[in-house]
Amino acid sequence: MDESEERRTELSSFLRSRRARLTPQEVGLAPGVRRRTPGLRREELALLAGVGVTWYTWLEQGRDIHPSPEVLASLARTLRLDRAETAYLFRLAGSHPLDGEVGAPAEVPAALLRLMHAQWPAPAWVMDANWDVRAWNPGADALFELSGRPPQECNLAWVVFGNPLHRSRVEHWEEHARRFLAQLRAAYAERGGEATAVGRHLGRMIQHVRAEHPEADRWLAEHQVAERSGAEKVVRHEELGELRIDQHVLLAAEGLQLIVMSPRDAETAERLRRLAPTAAAV
């Protein structure tokens, strides 16, 4: 299967999964009788989106047709896709995002490094457009053990899936891992997929996670996509106890992101100080 065929297959699966998610009542239709499958029928979706039933059927069948941006926008509105899902739809249909060629800078700006270190006692790190972890403060190093890792492991996929100690510490790890995969898949689409260097890098990361972790392969088959955002986390550290954390994602120039795990309460802040007691001297 070549790249275009694979993309059309992914588009077909994505459309079917999102059509099944919508109920007739949500779009103002009567539920009717003898509805054998969940969600809207193809003809109902086509009618609401203002496209031909045959044409839409061909699109779901993965045929080689080329929907216009206007038609894709109409489908996105009808399927009630969010921004990340809409970007993913456009990418699968052959659209190219404006920021797809943003690459990783050779150096992390000094000002961003100062801001990262100023987050103490909160663990913080800098990630680039490739989702590689480029820098971290002592708190993040103590929590994730990043120092000394080979470059291919210094990425967010390793932090989430490949670090068994971190996996065991995070409460509701599966929920956070699923969200990570949804965000990674959306980033792959937003960065241009196989049409750009960054997209290809993220694609290789997705394939590696799929190959190494069977649960990731199953979850990726669900076609969930989500925008990169913060989250509330509870980390149960074997020495420090429970760490209640708000994880923030701050966007910077050149595709860089500063991720901060700020303490949600004074008790967690004090425990994080003990996690990296030398950080105050940085």
Side-chain angles (χ1 to χ4, degrees):
M1 181 183 295
D2 63 25
E3 178 188 332
S4 62
E5 289 176 321
E6 183 176 353
R7 180 169 49 79
R8 293 197 302 273
T9 300
E10 290 287 306
L11 175 61
S12 172
S13 298
F14 181 68
L15 287 172
R16 289 198 305 272
S17 70
R18 291 308 178 269
R19 178 167 59 82
R21 190 175 65 177
L22 274 180
T23 66
Q25 294 90 331
E26 286 179 298
V27 295
L29 295 176
V33 295
R34 296 182 181 176
R35 190 174 289 271
R36 293 174 296 176
T37 57
L40 296 180
R41 298 187 177 102
R42 283 174 177 170
E43 57 268 24
E44 292 170 335
L45 179 61
L47 176 64
L48 291 169
V51 300
V53 176
T54 300
W55 182 90
Y56 179 76
T57 299
W58 288 348
L59 192 63
E60 269 203 12
Q61 290 174 344
R63 298 201 189 186
D64 189 11
I65 56 178
H66 305 282
S68 68
E70 293 78 14
V71 167
L72 291 172
S74 180
L75 287 173
R77 287 191 300 270
T78 305
L79 290 168
R80 301 191 177 187
L81 305 184
D82 62 23
R83 197 168 71 126
E85 291 172 321
T86 299
Y88 186 61
L89 172 67
F90 270 70
R91 166 53 40 211
L92 292 178
S95 179
H96 296 277
L98 295 176
D99 62 349
E101 291 292 354
V102 174
E107 301 289 339
V108 177
L112 188 58
L113 292 176
R114 288 194 295 271
L115 181 61
M116 177 191 73
H117 285 294
Q119 303 309 306
W120 183 86
W125 68 94
V126 175
M127 185 178 78
D128 63 22
N130 288 329
W131 286 41
D132 291 332
V133 181
R134 299 288 300 276
W136 49 86
N137 69 7
D141 197 18
L143 199 58
F144 302 121
E145 301 178 346
L146 292 163
S147 291
R149 289 284 165 191
Q152 65 269 23
E153 290 186 356
C154 280
N155 57 59
L156 206 54
W158 179 83
V159 170
V160 175
F161 278 91
N163 186 333
L165 184 60
H166 182 60
R167 284 179 62 153
S168 67
R169 288 171 173 168
V170 175
E171 187 177 87
H172 305 306
W173 174 82
E174 179 178 330
E175 174 186 333
H176 294 294
R178 282 173 175 267
R179 183 173 58 249
F180 160 77
L181 291 174
Q183 293 169 346
L184 178 58
R185 172 164 252 155
Y188 169 77
E190 291 167 0
R191 294 299 185 179
E194 296 304 308
T196 69
V198 172
R200 289 190 292 273
H201 180 93
L202 296 179
R204 289 191 295 272
M205 187 180 296
I206 291 171
Q207 293 306 316
H208 176 77
V209 171
R210 268 194 144 133
E212 295 294 323
H213 305 283
E215 67 270 45
D217 187 48
R218 293 195 306 272
W219 298 337
L220 282 164
E222 297 173 1
H223 292 277
Q224 297 301 314
V225 290
E227 291 183 288
R228 188 97 174 97
S229 61
E232 292 185 358
K233 288 186 175 182
V234 174
V235 177
R236 301 192 184 279
H237 194 277
E238 58 277 5
E239 295 178 4
L240 302 179
E242 186 176 274
L243 305 174
R244 294 172 290 277
I245 288 167
D246 291 319
Q247 183 168 299
H248 305 281
V249 179
L250 309 177
L251 302 182
E254 298 184 273
L256 295 171
Q257 300 178 27
L258 174 62
I259 294 90
V260 181
M261 302 181 72
S262 64
R264 203 178 307 152
D265 50 53
E267 187 177 16
T268 296
E270 180 54 37
R271 288 173 176 172
L272 287 174
R273 287 186 178 91
R274 301 204 306 271
L275 177 68
T278 61
V282 175

